[in-house]
Amino acid sequence: MELVHEFTFRAGLKPPLPVGAGPIGTRMYYEIDGGEVVGERLSGTIRGGGEWALIGPDGFLRVDVRAQVETHDGAFLYVQYFGLLEMNAAVMGAIENGTGTEFTDQYFCTNPRIETGDPRYSWVNTTFFVGEGRVLPGLGIEYRVYRPSRGAAG
């Protein structure tokens, strides 16, 4: 399968609100504090959302995000993605020190699903996306998001 870069997703996060330890791990909530989507066919501003992160005993954070995006031309998109983030030494150090990581420093993969009722962007409703992530300096994340080179959105 060949993948085509579709857009980059960058989001700032507010400090986490700890939900606490539960039967399957420690849950934290991060409110999205702005951000942007930048791509040739899709660009805009993140208009809110959050992450309900679950850190398991296996050292992986289960990503669970919902966000709203307003495109540069006034369409609204709902974005939801799940994924895995390896909470290794590079990630822990970046979070503790306010520095960032590179895409190769950790296993950080997502599967964004995008929905809209705007006919100009209907192609996102039938496109499978996959992303690779990294931690940004401060408190934020960045994903490079790809789609298969063939199919409904090709």
Side-chain angles (χ1 to χ4, degrees):
M1 180 185 313
E2 292 183 33
L3 298 175
V4 175
H5 181 259
E6 189 64 58
F7 59 87
T8 299
F9 182 99
R10 289 183 199 94
L13 303 172
K14 291 185 178 181
L17 300 173
V19 176
I24 57 174
T26 300
R27 195 168 297 276
M28 309 278 288
Y29 171 73
Y30 293 85
E31 183 178 348
I32 295 175
D33 189 21
E36 64 182 349
V37 174
V38 178
E40 187 175 313
R41 296 195 300 170
L42 184 61
S43 62
T45 303
I46 300 171
R47 296 287 184 207
E51 173 169 3
W52 290 260
L54 178 65
I55 303 170
D58 58 1
F60 280 83
L61 183 149
R62 269 68 180 174
V63 176
D64 179 0
V65 173
R66 294 163 199 88
Q68 294 73 238
V69 172
E70 181 178 2
T71 64
H72 72 285
D73 54 358
F76 290 92
L77 311 174
Y78 170 73
V79 180
Q80 180 179 19
Y81 59 90
F82 299 101
L84 285 172
L85 167 57
E86 176 186 20
M87 298 299 288
N88 63 19
V91 171
M92 297 302 290
I95 292 170
E96 290 170 10
N97 301 320
T99 58
T101 64
E102 297 301 323
F103 289 102
T104 56
D105 288 341
Q106 68 280 299
Y107 185 87
F108 192 3
C109 296
T110 64
N111 175 221
R113 187 186 78 210
I114 305 174
E115 300 174 13
T116 187
D118 193 303
R120 296 172 295 172
Y121 293 94
S122 63
W123 60 271
V124 302
N125 295 323
T126 57
T127 301
F128 188 88
F129 296 102
V130 61
E132 63 178 338
R134 70 181 184 133
V135 177
L136 291 176
L139 188 56
I141 52 88
E142 178 179 60
Y143 300 106
R144 295 189 293 206
V145 180
Y146 303 88
R147 64 172 168 81
S149 63
R150 55 183 183 232

